[in-house]
Amino acid sequence: MSRIGRLAIAVPSGVTVAVEPGTVRVSGPRGKLAVAINPLAEVKVEGNAVNITRRDDSRTARGVHGLTRVLIANMVTGVSTGFRRVLEINGVGYRAEVKGRAIQLALGYSHPVIFPLPNGIDAKVDKQTVITLEGADRQVLGETAAAIRKLRPPEPYKGKGIKYAEEKIRRKAGKAVGAAS
């Protein structure tokens, strides 16, 4: 039995879980989410808990069991409290600004970079160098944060670029000048 898949998902008040053939829909105060469910997994709502079981004991079914449980748990957390990702910008002249449904970034290029935000993701910029992304869908939030980071990944010599707040950049020593031969 999957150690993750067998855990019940607690459903907080204000969140509803609807199981339809092939999909699970979750709605709450922060929005509505849906996910397609593999036929090898069965989802049952019992009171304030959601239980996931698998139809057989094949290797694929065991993998789908834990995955399905995590996807539904992330949806329940997303519509109740939401997810947050923080990005930091390091570099002289590097800054960000929110303009409507887009983030305008100055990243050392000859032009400003305009990054449109996907639906369901909100951005806030503090001190022009800290971008906070919030949303109910964990997957879309992670993909958005990765796409913003990819615009100017941190480099190892001076640490300039966009990095996650919890990320540590391994620094390299520069070229040694006047080394004895």
Side-chain angles (χ1 to χ4, degrees), residues 7 35 66 108 111 133 139 148 161 164:
L7 299 174
V35 69
H111 59 282
L133 301 172
Q139 181 177 352
I148 291 173
Y164 300 119

Side-chain angles (χ1 to χ4, degrees), residues 110-163:
S110 61
H111 59 282
V113 178
I114 297 174
F115 184 86
L117 292 169
N119 292 334
I121 302 296
D122 297 321
K124 186 173 64 173
V125 176
D126 300 325
K127 298 182 266 183
Q128 295 185 334
T129 59
V130 178
I131 303 170
T132 305
L133 301 172
E134 293 181 345
D137 192 339
R138 188 173 189 174
Q139 181 177 352
V140 173
L141 180 71
E143 289 172 356
T144 303
I148 291 173
R149 182 185 183 277
K150 192 176 178 182
L151 295 172
R152 181 66 91 167
E155 53 98 9
Y157 296 100
K158 292 184 180 177
K160 292 168 43 173
I162 302 173
K163 70 178 189 80

Side-chain angles (χ1 to χ4, degrees), residues 8-90:
I9 302 166
V11 179
S13 61
V15 175
T16 58
V17 179
V19 179
E20 300 167 7
T23 61
V24 174
R25 299 187 188 284
V26 180
S27 61
R30 294 185 140 255
K32 297 177 182 176
L33 297 173
V35 69
I37 298 299
N38 191 306
L40 295 174
E42 290 183 36
V43 180
K44 294 179 186 144
V45 179
E46 299 164 351
N48 287 343
V50 178
N51 291 315
I52 292 90
T53 56
R54 58 181 182 238
R55 296 195 193 275
D56 58 45
D57 207 31
S58 67
R59 184 177 177 93
T60 307
R62 290 194 312 260
V64 166
H65 187 204
L67 173 69
T68 303
R69 190 251 177 227
V70 170
L71 291 174
I72 295 171
N74 284 342
M75 289 194 318
V76 169
T77 304
V79 299
S80 60
T81 60
F83 292 101
R84 172 184 301 217
R85 199 75 168 141
V86 180
L87 298 165
E88 293 175 353
I89 303 172
N90 296 321

Side-chain angles (χ1 to χ4, degrees), residues 90-122:
N90 296 321
V92 177
Y94 290 13
R95 61 186 174 277
E97 179 181 0
V98 176
K99 290 198 172 184
R101 293 285 306 149
I103 300 174
Q104 182 174 339
L105 301 147
L107 299 173
Y109 297 118
S110 61
H111 59 282
V113 178
I114 297 174
F115 184 86
L117 292 169
N119 292 334
I121 302 296
D122 297 321

